[in-house]
Amino acid sequence: MNLSLYSVQAFVVLDTEGNRVLAKYYRPKSHPQGESKDLLTLKEQKAFEKGLWQKTKKAGGDIILYDSHLVVYKHSLDLILYFIAGPTENELMLYSALTSLTDALTILLRNALEKRAVLENLDLVLLCLDETIDDGIIVDTDSAAIASRVSRPRADTTEIVINEQTLMSAYLTVKEKMQQRIGQL
């Protein structure tokens, strides 16, 4: 039984051809079982991802056990998002975290969770991932809270600057309007 908080070993996003769009592997040094020894090199990671894609390229599944790793995945338009964990992890917890991450990304990317949108907004995607998973520990599973912490301020809201000139302008406008009202009486 695994009683550690470190549950996620990797987050991987692959496109429909099996090419890596984004990958983040977690190797916490403070893990109770020590630092992970598998998937250390880029070559090992790419081989693992290619084999994983071969097993999951057809839509329809959610969870598989692949190469002694528990893999939870979701298909989205032209992407497949994966959480990779040890074989003894709680798959419902992982699936809940992946679902909340994809929902938060869908909110942030305005219902366009596709390769182009992910690459154009890579900063938001990585911030969203960091709000969900911190060094392999699932931190949050509320998609609305994740999206609200990550979202940019709206561009159409402008900061109102109040200075001496704007106050004088407002005073003169009010004075002019008052003189016009008094003149009409």
Side-chain angles (χ1 to χ4, degrees):
M1 176 179 241
N2 184 9
L3 297 177
S4 171
L5 292 175
Y6 296 99
S7 54
V8 179
Q9 293 177 349
F11 171 70
V12 178
V13 179
L14 301 177
D15 64 9
T16 52
E17 287 88 41
N19 300 318
R20 179 191 282 192
V21 176
L22 172 67
K24 190 167 185 179
Y25 287 82
Y26 300 101
R27 287 185 189 69
K29 291 178 178 25
S30 57
H31 193 284
Q33 297 165 345
E35 195 171 356
S36 176
K37 301 292 183 217
D38 58 341
L39 303 174
L40 288 175
T41 65
L42 182 62
K43 186 177 179 182
E44 289 174 346
Q45 292 172 2
K46 291 275 190 172
F48 177 81
E49 291 167 12
K50 198 53 107 175
L52 182 61
W53 176 78
Q54 288 292 330
K55 292 282 188 187
T56 61
K57 63 184 173 184
K58 293 183 180 128
D62 296 315
I63 302 168
I64 65 167
L65 191 61
Y66 175 73
D67 195 24
S68 73
H69 289 87
L70 177 66
V71 179
V72 177
Y73 63 99
K74 268 185 109 99
H75 285 264
S76 172
L77 296 179
D78 59 350
L79 295 174
I80 308 172
L81 291 87
Y82 301 92
F83 272 166
I84 300 164
T88 60
E89 291 300 330
N90 183 344
E91 60 271 2
L92 293 176
M93 181 179 64
L94 288 170
Y95 190 73
S96 173
L98 182 61
T99 301
S100 68
L101 177 66
T102 54
D103 290 348
L105 288 173
T106 302
I107 292 168
L108 290 169
L109 300 177
R110 295 178 180 83
N111 294 329
L113 188 51
E114 58 188 8
K115 183 177 180 178
R116 181 190 53 79
V118 166
L119 291 174
E120 287 176 357
N121 297 292
L122 195 58
D123 58 340
L124 287 179
V125 173
L126 289 172
L127 282 171
C128 199
L129 176 62
D130 288 342
E131 287 293 330
T132 308
I133 306 292
D134 184 27
D135 205 23
I137 299 172
I138 297 174
V139 180
D140 199 352
T141 57
D142 182 7
S143 58
I146 294 166
S148 70
R149 283 195 302 269
V150 171
S151 64
R152 297 180 180 134
R154 295 186 181 257
D156 60 348
T157 58
T158 58
E159 188 176 316
I160 299 173
V161 178
I162 298 177
N163 57 27
E164 197 172 316
Q165 186 178 7
T166 56
L167 289 175
M168 189 55 121
S169 174
Y171 170 73
L172 291 175
T173 304
V174 169
K175 181 180 174 184
E176 187 178 297
K177 295 290 182 184
M178 290 297 286
Q179 286 175 348
Q180 286 176 358
R181 296 278 180 180
I182 292 174
Q184 289 176 353
L185 292 175

